[in-house]
Amino acid sequence: MKSIGVLTSGGDSAGMNAAIRAVVKTAFSYNLKVFGIRRGYEGLIEGDIVPLDYDSVTGIHREGGTIIFSARSEEFYKPEGRKKAMDNLRSNGIEGLITIGGDGTFQGAHKLYQEYSFPVVGVPGTIDNDIGGTEYTIGYDTACNIALDAIDKIRDTARSHGRVFLVEVMGRHAGYIALDTGIAAGAEDILIPEITTDVSKVAQTLSEGIKKGWRCAIVVVAEGDDAGGAFKISKELKEKVGKDIRVTILGHIQRGGSPTAIDRINASRLGVAAVDMLVSDQTDIMVGIVSGEVVPTRLDKTWTQKKGVDTNLIRIAKLLSS
Ligand code: F6P
């Protein structure tokens, strides 16, 4: 193997740059050339491919976003799109590909392997942390810290005004960000898609808490919760709880910013491991972190064997919010 490619695809996350830097520097240690494929699979289909050198990755571990940009590609779902992508890999002499992203990114990489036996290694990069075969995904820690900082600030004003706040966090269909930040922020309730939400019960929790003397309350709502978004839930709650209710949607702020130390360290570990795997002919896998160790998992398991939510954390959240 003489040349490899690296791309970031799907929603960006803080720490992707640290992973790209680790990929490039590790590849150089094996005397490999590295190409950055810009805008994920979209750029691969269009041939938007640039060589990466030391200068292009110097200092990028501190930066949010991804220097090679990202996209969600509809065309790559079609065989013709993948054929164009494959032609561009071949014409640039790229013999292996590292894909940084979430389950959509891995499904794409798996297709390249299945259809063309093309060597691929995935690196989990998404704020949602919803990938099987790893307890951690790049950007998750930064997203949680951003959400926590915001909720702490909201708590100040909620307390001053004696209000209930519903704070909606990202996570797509998963409640990891909501559960972890809810615990860290001492939220009075946490609503996640993994547990059916009964708005009457939320109202009861709030009403009882207010009777007990809660001056304010924070309810963290995962965007994928089955009761609908925070605005919808707040409307129902307003009728049931005699308290001023406000809604804050944190949104894409959770995806940006300089990565935390944890995200920089883990992204670096995973970027190095991805290249090590590729050069030792391990392919169609993702490198993840399990019990603190970097381990490979077959790509198809990353979306078919999603990890469940930690029931102990749910217990902790309940115990500490009462
Ligand atoms: O998958 C990452 C994520 O930020 C989700 O949490 C969110 O639902 C989604 O991407 C938002 O996607 P977009 O940036 O395309 O609006």
Side-chain angles (χ1 to χ4, degrees):
M1 190 175 282
K2 291 200 178 90
S3 293
I4 64 168
V6 58
L7 63 77
T8 47
S9 159
D12 63 343
S13 63
M16 281 181 162
N17 281 330
I20 294 165
R21 171 175 170 267
V23 165
V24 170
K25 292 199 172 194
T26 311
F28 288 169
S29 78
Y30 288 109
N31 291 318
L32 298 172
K33 272 194 198 162
V34 189
F35 289 93
I37 293 143
R38 307 205 303 176
R39 296 180 290 115
Y41 293 119
E42 197 115 309
L44 186 53
I45 289 168
E46 291 170 17
D48 191 358
I49 297 172
V50 292
L52 295 176
D53 58 17
Y54 266 109
D55 279 353
S56 48
V57 296
T58 298
I60 65 168
H61 54 290
R62 302 187 305 158
E63 291 170 19
T66 156
I67 59 154
I68 48 177
F69 314 131
S70 192
R72 302 186 197 278
S73 171
E74 285 301 317
E75 214 192 331
F76 199 74
Y77 284 105
K78 301 177 195 150
E80 312 85 71
R82 292 194 290 276
K83 163 88 174 56
K84 282 187 203 159
M86 196 57 226
D87 289 346
N88 283 328
L89 286 168
R90 285 197 184 113
S91 64
N92 282 280
I94 299 171
E95 295 162 288
L97 183 63
I98 291 174
T99 62
I100 307 170
D103 56 359
T105 306
F106 298 157
Q107 287 174 35
H110 180 61
K111 280 274 177 206
L112 273 188
Y113 176 75
Q114 274 186 320
E115 292 169 2
Y116 298 98
S117 301
F118 194 79
V120 288
V121 173
V123 175
T126 164
I127 64 164
D128 301 339
N129 199 18
D130 60 342
I131 304 292
T134 185
E135 289 157 3
Y136 161 88
T137 58
I138 295 170
Y140 178 68
D141 188 64
T142 305
C144 285
N145 277 292
I146 291 169
L148 176 61
D149 179 58
I151 297 168
D152 281 349
K153 286 173 177 147
I154 288 167
R155 172 82 69 186
D156 292 341
T157 175
R159 193 164 172 69
S160 302
H161 287 265
R163 282 173 171 158
V164 171
F165 266 83
L166 299 196
V167 184
E168 187 179 291
V169 296
M170 276 190 166
R172 201 179 286 270
H173 306 299
Y176 298 103
I177 298 178
L179 186 55
D180 277 345
T181 55
I183 290 173
E188 278 69 17
D189 210 346
I190 303 169
L191 313 183
I192 57 173
E194 291 82 354
I195 297 176
T196 308
T197 294
D198 178 346
V199 179
S200 307
K201 275 205 180 138
V202 180
Q204 195 186 338
T205 304
L206 291 172
S207 301
E208 284 174 8
I210 291 161
K211 257 192 223 146
K212 273 193 300 190
W214 288 357
R215 173 150 178 78
C216 64
I218 305 279
V219 180
V220 177
V221 183
E223 65 175 348
D225 189 75
D226 56 344
F231 275 112
K232 183 165 179 276
I233 298 171
S234 81
K235 270 191 199 142
E236 288 180 51
L237 281 180
K238 258 179 201 152
E239 290 158 19
K240 297 185 166 94
V241 184
K243 198 85 171 160
D244 210 0
I245 298 184
R246 291 287 190 277
V247 173
T248 303
I249 311 277
L250 295 185
H252 288 79
I253 189 174
Q254 294 157 94
R255 290 231 300 252
S258 184
T260 59
I262 286 179
D263 276 327
R264 294 185 200 191
I265 295 162
N266 284 339
S268 302
R269 293 173 72 196
L270 293 171
V272 170
V275 179
D276 287 342
M277 296 281 168
L278 209 50
V279 297
S280 58
D281 288 333
Q282 296 201 57
T283 180
D284 196 30
I285 53 157
M286 174 200 75
V287 286
I289 295 182
V290 178
S291 303
E293 299 297 322
V294 175
V295 292
T297 295
R298 262 179 35 204
L299 274 183
D300 59 348
K301 289 197 177 169
T302 63
W303 65 89
T304 55
Q305 295 185 8
K306 292 221 166 182
K307 56 194 175 205
V309 71
D310 184 341
T311 49
N312 193 38
L313 277 185
I314 291 170
R315 175 170 173 260
I316 290 167
K318 285 221 170 84
L319 276 173
L320 301 188
S321 64
S322 57

